[in-house]
Amino acid sequence: MNQLIPRRTAIRNLLIIAGGAMVLPACYSKSGKPTIQLNNLSLTEEDELFLETLCETLVPETDSPGGKSLKLHLFVMKMVDDCYKTEDQQMFIKGLREFDDFVKEKVSKSFVKASIPEREELLKSIQQDKEKNNAIYKFYEITKSKTIQGYLNSEYVMTNLVKYELVPGRYNGYFPA
């Protein structure tokens, strides 16, 4: 008995298998690398998760999107990678590593696993720190400023909160010359 598969069925099955083989690596997210390519920073997937949690703590989700849904951590990572000097990038990485140790010393768990009130208390203690030249404070200041910048430049803010007026604007005949 000679059983042949119709050509269309064979091609369809082949395409389904090939498509599945291409998509399968994307489903496995534990690569250890961040989700965006960085040229100068060497961050891990855990570092990205930490930054995501920190940005969400700085800009929490309310009736407007928060840091996590706006992906502000990616903005922070890319800005530090592209726009900061090498010394500042090294200070950022050093502060990131020391921040993790600082949190474990204070609350005996990682920042990601800490509760929201614990996270807020930790950030307040960093801001009130008398020694402003340490790496943790520098890391926090860079992250905070870039998170705010990313939020203010996000599509959500620019389309829903900012009233755009076409340049040159409306004519005001009463403006003093």
Side-chain angles (χ1 to χ4, degrees), residues 16-51:
I16 290 171
I17 291 171
M22 287 181 3
V23 171
L24 187 62
C27 296
Y28 183 69
S29 66
K30 291 287 183 189
S31 64
K33 297 179 182 177
T35 55
I36 59 172
Q37 181 172 350
L38 301 171
N39 299 323
N40 302 315
L41 294 178
S42 58
L43 296 175
T44 63
E45 194 173 1
E46 290 81 28
D47 295 337
E48 182 177 350
L49 179 63
F50 163 69
L51 282 171

Side-chain angles (χ1 to χ4, degrees), residues 116-132:
I116 293 173
E118 287 175 328
R119 291 180 200 158
E120 291 171 352
E121 201 57 44
L122 287 165
L123 297 182
K124 285 178 188 173
S125 69
I126 290 172
Q127 285 181 322
Q128 295 169 351
D129 188 12
K130 301 294 182 223
E131 186 184 333
K132 301 278 187 193

Side-chain angles (χ1 to χ4, degrees), residues 135-146:
I136 296 172
Y137 183 78
K138 297 281 187 190
F139 161 75
Y140 175 70
E141 282 298 310
I142 290 171
T143 305
K144 182 178 174 183
S145 69
K146 294 299 136 196

